[in-house]
Amino acid sequence: MMQDQRDNSYLFGGNAPYVEELYESYLLDPASVEDHWRDYFDNVKQAPAVDGSTRTDIAHGPIVASFAERAKQGPIRTVSDSADSEMGRKRVAVQQLIAAYRNVGNRWANTDPLKRSERPDIPELDPAFYGFTDGDMDIVFNTSNTFFGKSEMTLRDLLQALRETYCGTIGAEYMFIADQKIKKWWQEKLESIRSTPRFNTEEKRQVLDRVTAAEGLERYLQAKYVGQKRFSLEGGESFIACMDELIREAGSKGVQEIVIGMAHRGRLNVLVNVLGKMPTDLFAEFEHKGPETLPAGDVKYHQGFSSDISTPAGPVHLSLAFNPSHLEIVNPVVEGSARARMERRGDLLGEQVLPVLVHGDAAIAGQGVMQETLAMSEVRGYSTGGTIHIVINNQIGFTTSDPRDLRSSLYCTDIMKVVDAPVLHVNGDDPEAVVLATKLAVEFRTKFHKDVAVDIVCFRKLGHNEQDTPAMTQPLMYKIIAAHPGTRKVYADKLEAQGVLPVGTGDLMVKEYRAAMDAGKQTSDPVLSNFKGKFAVDWSPFLNKKWTDESDTAIPLTEWKRLADKISTIPEDFKAHPLVEKVYRDRAAMGRGEVNIDWGMGEHMAFASLVASGYPVRLSGEDSGRGTFTHRHAVLHNQNREKWDTGTYVALQHVTKDQAPFLVIDSILSEEAVLGFEYGYAAAEPNTLTIWEAQFGDFANGAQVVIDQFIASGEVKWGRANGLVMMLPHGYEGQGPEHSSARLERFMQLCADTNMQVIQPTTASQIFHVLRRQMIRQFRKPLILMTPKSLLRNKEAASPLSEFTKGGFQTILPERDESIDPKQVTRLVMCSGKVYYDLAKARTEKKVTDAAIIRLEQLYPFPHKALAAELKKYPKLEEVVWCQDEPQNQGAWFFVQHNILENMADGTKLAYAGRPASASPACGYAHLHQEQQKSLLTAAFAKLKGYVITK
């Protein structure tokens, strides 16, 4: 039996001389042989010999050469079996041919419906490259390492099987994947069916029905609303058949929720033909007759939608995320939403929740957030069990289709290789192949819980939008497109020609769909109108609430001490770093009320009290476990750990027996995608305190699209409430342009319609109360926190225990110096943030007694009533000075001006004290920083000058 196996293996028998030659080459230079041989020889070289020896093998060639020299001197003869050697070479060549088709057969695949490019010259796919001739075509070779169903095949049959599998209308890329089990899985799946769909008549009819629906909607809208933008799907109609299959197949695998993110191309088609939006509702939007209840609203091709669809395996909830025109930015939002839904279900692997991202070919290759999102795909805290990516590859980006301009990679999907995600390129003119590829993608994701992509190569029949004329820049491409009969007709004619469907069926289906449109009927699988899933979230308690609604955020003293003891206790068998041990000893003293509570303890107690009350807390960001400025230490690291993946302790996960989860994540080095993810998470989970923390507030500008398009405007555009918290370290301490400003002015500029809260707390009790308020008060708006840096350790910013067990968050902190007599105050200095402590110190040093200082802790919504109450305390008030760290054209100055003036008495003057306007957020020269700081503190108490407004 062993001899039979050796004879049938390409490593033995007649192949041995050829393999020996390869091994000699490898020993002399490993790079001289192909990758798969190098991998094999690496294993051989590392394996112990039969005698147990582990000595490294050496090349035999030089030894043989020395014997050859000696042979010249004597009657030594060598005999070679040339026939066996040649046959051995051919057997090895067959294995190389198989490997070539698996690796690069996709380059010859018939995936372009426009057939614009000639087949590339790839010698490795030509049998002649390996020395085969026509005379070798009927030689039988061992093919037991393939999945064509035969252990032996003629070269002719093998070549046909390889070409059918890898060069048909599906071009598979998977051989770059490191995991051998995954590569073998794809080989078996593809080769066993030769990448050929095998659907019955009913299944084919369903495919044609969906393609007909896709084309039918676009043509109906084109005729009824001529010239109106809709970003037509024509040319990519197979995408709707793809989505139909994806939902059905995922449902059969146990998926109960699908979260979809996509751009504008084909979005209206998905809304009607996949999610079941009523056509009449869509028509009303075209005719500007739809409901307009939001402050701003958005265009119809940005709208989201959700529905419950009936599938053969049961109901599946579909959620299409709202998104702006910024391509791919919805990707991390979808992932965050999916993660929240998974955790709500206790679905750790993503078996019940599936994220689906639909891309354009130009966007997936060009937008950086794509890479950032992929980088999170298998990271703790962000993984969603694998995402199915679908590319509507119409081979053009707006007006760019020249391969020399489109991208630097071969395929638009090459970014997927970053995470070893397999890609199936498929011809959009073969809807059955598209459906098969989709089915395989769902099967792969179900088994391996990894990302996978289906690249539907199609075309864009019209321009970027319906008002565009693409032939101006793509004359050749659009000549071909103009002559194309359309995917629906190509497929319908094929089915009728094959006798699968009666002649005329295709045209009849077109008429039936148009009739459904005329009647305004739903065109997708039955939509369950009254169905409500077990895990659906009720947002109604959080709607139509006011920011002024009261909330009790103080906690009883007994509860404070109990929680403080829990979060300041380190297990006896756990060795923390000495510096961390001191932090925890200090916190224990704070918990007992022996010393004032600092920022880190105030934060921790807010988290502890929330999880103890049933509110989960999720905090993520770069270095959030320890804290950029080492103030948090939420995650302890055992100094005696013996393994890299063990030895951590999170006290906030041990607060009480039935507590809610606490999760702190050291994120990947990304702002845009991680912030988008957390926004998506908070959008799906209103009962979790979801926080994104920037390493420095300045770095939030890398996520500006998320801030502008989602956080600031998501509610007024789409009606989507969100309680996300952003912690942005902000303060001018001389650390230069990149580590000083969280760009407060940008947030102030975005404030309107009570869309968010912007707060700059300056004490430990304030951060405690504002974090608790964000959950306890049923008011879900984004909370932007300008968090401090130097104040984290400033004893002046610490708070007495009484401020945690009584009271609550104060929008304005009044004058704290009891020596200041309100009746003698003529100037009120208003400020926000850490500059308060500098001002208080300067006032003492200058012995100023007629100036009071108050802190505007909540910048938006502006606390008019609280400010009016403060101003009434000072009957002799003549001047109000706004003092800030930031340059005059930045910070809050331009925003607060009119709000302060509105509350001032007539005749009172308003002036500015701060840094001069600057193009940079801060200076980089230490001496200049000190000079500017000294100057602004002097101006706060000096005679008014510069820009002064008198009310």
Side-chain angles (χ1 to χ4, degrees), residues 547-624:
W547 75 265
T548 52
D549 291 347
E550 294 294 328
S551 58
D552 184 6
T553 55
I555 60 176
L557 180 60
T558 53
E559 178 68 358
W560 168 276
K561 290 186 175 181
R562 186 188 73 80
L563 295 174
D565 179 66
K566 289 287 186 180
I567 66 170
S568 61
T569 300
I570 302 174
E572 292 183 3
D573 59 348
F574 191 98
K575 177 59 179 173
H577 191 280
L579 294 177
V580 178
E581 288 179 338
K582 182 181 184 308
V583 169
Y584 272 62
R585 285 196 302 272
D586 291 345
R587 286 181 181 173
M590 295 174 197
R592 295 188 295 269
E594 297 170 5
V595 293
N596 283 350
I597 288 85
D598 67 11
W599 197 278
M601 183 62 168
E603 219 184 52
H604 256 61
M605 286 300 294
F607 296 152
S609 58
L610 285 173
V611 297
S613 301
Y615 294 101
V617 174
R618 175 186 171 89
L619 166 63
S620 80
E622 296 154 20
D623 312 309
S624 287

Side-chain angles (χ1 to χ4, degrees), residues 886-905:
E886 302 89 351
Q888 187 172 11
N889 59 322
Q890 299 170 38
W893 169 233
F894 287 135
F895 178 83
V896 298
Q897 275 182 34
H898 69 277
N899 288 294
I900 296 173
L901 275 169
E902 184 179 329
N903 293 281
M904 288 166 43

Side-chain angles (χ1 to χ4, degrees), residues 696-942:
F696 283 86
D698 315 59
F699 300 163
N701 60 14
Q704 198 65 45
V705 176
V706 179
I707 296 167
D708 291 348
Q709 302 299 329
F710 291 94
I711 293 171
S713 59
E715 186 170 11
V716 296
K717 291 189 300 186
W718 310 317
R720 315 317 290 172
N722 194 295
L724 176 68
V725 179
M726 292 178 67
M727 285 185 171
L728 308 176
H730 173 84
Y732 283 63
E733 287 110 352
Q735 296 189 47
E738 313 308 323
H739 298 86
S740 299
S741 175
R743 292 293 195 172
L744 174 61
E745 64 280 356
R746 293 182 179 173
F747 291 96
M748 303 319 301
Q749 185 184 44
L750 292 170
C751 288
D753 301 313
T754 319
N755 61 334
M756 56 184 172
Q757 310 157 86
V758 180
I759 293 174
Q760 187 162 207
T762 55
T763 69
S765 61
Q766 286 283 82
I767 190 65
F768 169 84
H769 287 295
V770 79
L771 288 173
R772 282 179 52 77
R773 184 181 75 164
Q774 185 69 358
M775 283 288 100
I776 294 171
R777 184 182 57 174
Q778 291 188 319
F779 178 80
R780 293 295 178 265
K781 303 275 185 174
L783 170 59
I784 314 303
L785 290 175
M786 299 285 140
T787 53
K789 293 173 288 182
S790 61
L791 296 191
L792 298 174
R793 291 178 179 78
N794 188 328
K795 291 185 178 180
E796 296 296 318
S799 304
L801 177 55
S802 60
E803 292 187 6
F804 298 85
T805 58
K806 298 177 183 178
F809 176 74
Q810 295 175 267
T811 57
I812 293 178
L813 288 180
E815 173 60 67
R816 291 293 179 94
D817 189 339
E818 295 180 356
S819 68
I820 300 297
D821 183 359
K823 295 179 181 179
Q824 303 303 317
V825 168
T826 59
R827 175 177 292 188
L828 178 66
V829 180
M830 290 184 63
C831 64
S832 185
K834 135 208 121 64
V835 72
Y836 163 77
Y837 295 96
D838 301 325
L839 285 167
K841 182 179 179 182
R843 181 178 61 179
T844 300
E845 292 173 349
K846 297 176 186 295
K847 299 181 180 179
V848 176
T849 59
D850 61 351
I853 307 172
I854 65 172
R855 285 168 272 181
L856 187 59
E857 300 278 289
Q858 179 170 300
L859 292 156
Y860 188 80
F862 194 86
H864 285 283
K865 289 185 179 179
L867 178 57
E870 282 299 312
L871 293 175
K872 286 180 181 179
K873 293 179 181 178
Y874 308 105
K876 294 184 179 181
L877 188 65
E878 299 173 359
E879 302 165 346
V880 177
V881 174
W882 174 262
C883 183
Q884 64 179 37
D885 291 282
E886 302 89 351
Q888 187 172 11
N889 59 322
Q890 299 170 38
W893 169 233
F894 287 135
F895 178 83
V896 298
Q897 275 182 34
H898 69 277
N899 288 294
I900 296 173
L901 275 169
E902 184 179 329
N903 293 281
M904 288 166 43
D906 291 343
T908 310
K909 296 178 180 179
L910 175 63
Y912 167 81
R915 287 178 165 80
S918 171
S920 173
C923 62
Y925 303 121
H927 69 90
L928 181 57
H929 166 77
Q930 295 297 339
E931 290 173 9
Q932 289 180 343
Q933 191 73 7
K934 182 179 179 181
S935 176
L936 72 88
L937 294 175
T938 298
F941 301 104

